[in-house]
């Protein structure tokens, strides 16, 4: 099934797709991302539990996209992400992604990346170390913050492994050492996709700054802000669908029964829990640093 104008209007409720900021297309048997060209204001796109195998250039037409959930699909190609510079949350869990495809994420600043459930990746006993080594601009991997200390530990691990009888080799070379760099990455500044959230991120965090424990503290605060915004978007979307008659009236719970009973929406509760957790951690760090 393709993403049609009728499907978009149905899932957008009372507003036009071009004004939608949140869109849930889970469980729609979608096989391609084509059809989203007019959704230029979209910030959150939920496409889990479909049959998508390729992330196409359709993603490049969504400059404001900040959260993309493609879990439980058939993803084997990340080609459409080559023109993306920053993204808040990228969920690629339970797909068919290989180590070679991760090269297409090396240039992207990803605040929250989830890769669990990809057989080719997880069968490696050093899965997390390899991902941290391959993707230098990832802040959080599978729900766990990648700290400055962890990056140092990973670097020492590969360095010490070189003198072992069976050394653990790097899965990918750093992008700057690669013999072949796609032209779309070399010339990223000419056609990169920059939305308001990405501009905010780039204005607060320099890509050349040294990663320290202070950086970890600042990242935690920024992540907490992002989760709060994501929560606000979700609530607005649920309210809109309820007003449109697509969802039953919400109960006293902040989560409508539709989202509580459908297992495909469990990550919505996860977002709340994670945001609450990071807010708590941030407050603890703030007291530690006297801020």
């Amino acid at each position: 099934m393709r993403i049609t104008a009728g499907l978009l209007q149905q899932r957008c409720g009372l507003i036009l797709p071009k004004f939608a900021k949140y869109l849930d297309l889970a469980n729609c048997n979608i096989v391609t991302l084509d059809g989203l060209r007019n959704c230029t204001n979209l910030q959150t796109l939920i496409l889990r539990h479909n049959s998508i195998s390729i992330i196409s250039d359709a993603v490049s037409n969504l400059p404001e996209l900040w959260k993309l959930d493609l879990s439980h699909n058939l993803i084997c190609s990340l080609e459409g992400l080559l023109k993306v510079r920053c993204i808040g949350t990228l969920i690629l869990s339970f797909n068919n992604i290989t180590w070679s495809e991760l090269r297409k994420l090396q240039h992207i600043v990803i605040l929250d990346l989830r890769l669990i459930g990809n057989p080719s990746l997880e069968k490696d006993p050093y899965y997390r170390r390899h991902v941290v080594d391959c993707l230098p601009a990832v802040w959080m991997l599978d729900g766990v913050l990648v700290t400055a200390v962890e990056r140092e530990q990973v670097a020492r691990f590969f360095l010490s492994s070189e003198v072992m009888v069976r050394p653990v080799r790097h899965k990918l070379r750093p992008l700057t050492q690669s013999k072949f760099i796609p032209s779309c990455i070399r010339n990223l500044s000419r056609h990169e996709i920059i939305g308001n959230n990405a501009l905010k991120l780039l204005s607060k965090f320099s890509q050349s700054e040294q990663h320290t424990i202070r950086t970890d503290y600042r990242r935690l605060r920024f992540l907490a802000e992002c989760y709060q915004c994501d929560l606000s978007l979700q609530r607005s979307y649920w309210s809109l669908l309820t007003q449109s008659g697509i969802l039953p009236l919400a109960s006293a719970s902040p989560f409508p029964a539709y989202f509580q009973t459908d297992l495909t929406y469990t990550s919505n509760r996860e977002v709340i829990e994670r945001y609450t957790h990071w807010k708590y951690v941030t407050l603890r760090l703030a007291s530690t640093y006297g801020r």
Side-chain angles (χ1 to χ4, degrees):
M1 179 177 177
R2 293 180 176 274
I3 300 175
T4 64
L7 177 62
L8 287 178
Q9 190 58 64
Q10 178 188 16
R11 292 301 180 102
C12 287
L14 298 174
I15 63 175
L16 294 174
K18 65 179 180 179
F19 297 121
K21 294 183 178 181
Y22 191 107
L23 181 60
D24 192 329
L25 296 174
N27 293 290
C28 290
N29 296 317
I30 295 170
V31 298
T32 176
L33 292 176
D34 297 337
L36 295 168
R37 183 175 298 274
N38 294 326
C39 302
T40 53
N41 286 300
L42 206 57
Q43 295 183 31
T44 297
L45 178 59
I46 309 299
L47 284 160
R48 54 178 169 262
H49 290 281
N50 283 292
S51 301
I52 302 167
S53 59
I54 297 175
I55 300 181
S56 66
D57 286 338
V59 176
S60 302
N61 299 318
L62 306 175
E64 297 295 337
L65 188 63
W66 195 240
K67 178 179 179 179
L68 178 60
D69 185 349
L70 283 163
S71 59
H72 296 277
N73 274 276
L74 306 171
I75 304 294
C76 59
S77 173
L78 306 176
E79 194 73 24
L81 296 172
L82 283 172
K83 296 179 183 180
V84 177
R85 182 173 178 180
C86 306
I87 190 166
T89 300
L90 180 60
I91 307 177
L92 299 172
S93 306
F94 301 99
N95 282 287
N96 298 317
I97 298 169
T98 61
W99 288 106
S100 59
E101 279 302 302
L102 287 188
R103 182 178 300 281
K104 296 169 184 176
L105 301 181
Q106 284 185 302
H107 66 288
I108 310 177
V109 179
I110 308 175
L111 275 58
D112 184 357
L113 175 65
R114 302 178 218 176
L115 291 171
I116 60 171
N118 285 277
S120 295
L121 304 181
E122 283 200 323
K123 70 180 181 181
D124 194 296
Y126 301 109
Y127 156 73
R128 183 175 175 87
R129 291 175 179 175
H130 279 301
V131 176
V132 171
D133 178 59
C134 293
L135 304 178
V138 168
W139 289 17
M140 182 186 297
L141 175 62
D142 296 331
V144 179
L145 189 72
V146 180
T147 64
V149 172
E150 182 178 12
R151 288 211 176 270
E152 291 177 5
Q153 291 173 341
V154 169
R156 287 199 298 267
F157 169 78
F158 284 101
L159 188 62
S160 62
S161 174
E162 293 178 359
V163 298
M164 297 173 61
V165 177
R166 294 183 178 180
V168 180
R169 306 296 185 186
H170 298 273
K171 291 291 186 182
L172 298 174
R173 291 184 179 183
L175 197 59
T176 54
Q177 298 179 14
S178 298
K179 294 182 180 179
F180 172 75
I181 301 177
S183 59
C184 58
I185 294 181
R186 287 200 308 269
N187 304 319
L188 190 60
S189 59
R190 298 182 184 179
H191 47 238
E192 59 188 345
I193 307 302
I194 295 291
N196 291 328
N197 286 314
L199 287 173
K200 182 180 178 181
L201 170 67
L202 295 174
S203 67
K204 291 189 174 184
F205 296 89
S206 171
Q207 291 183 283
S208 60
E209 73 174 79
Q210 184 179 2
H211 188 179
T212 65
I213 190 172
R214 286 276 185 174
T215 309
D216 293 334
Y217 164 74
R218 292 172 55 229
R219 287 181 175 181
L220 281 170
R221 293 197 62 171
F222 195 83
L223 282 165
E225 292 174 6
C226 289
Y227 288 132
Q228 186 177 30
C229 292
D230 184 54
L231 171 59
S232 178
L233 275 180
Q234 289 186 60
R235 284 178 169 169
S236 297
Y237 182 71
W238 297 340
S239 176
L240 183 65
L241 293 189
T242 302
Q243 294 174 26
S244 306
I246 298 175
L247 294 182
L249 292 176
S251 61
S253 167
F255 302 99
Y258 173 85
F259 290 96
Q260 291 180 349
T261 56
D262 190 339
L263 294 179
T264 64
Y265 290 91
T266 54
S267 64
N268 289 318
R269 292 193 294 275
E270 179 189 351
V271 168
I272 310 298
E273 294 168 359
R274 186 172 297 169
Y275 164 67
T276 304
H277 170 68
W278 287 126
K279 186 174 182 180
Y280 170 75
V281 173
T282 300
L283 292 174
R284 288 294 299 275
L285 284 171
S287 63
T288 300
Y289 288 111
R291 292 180 60 181

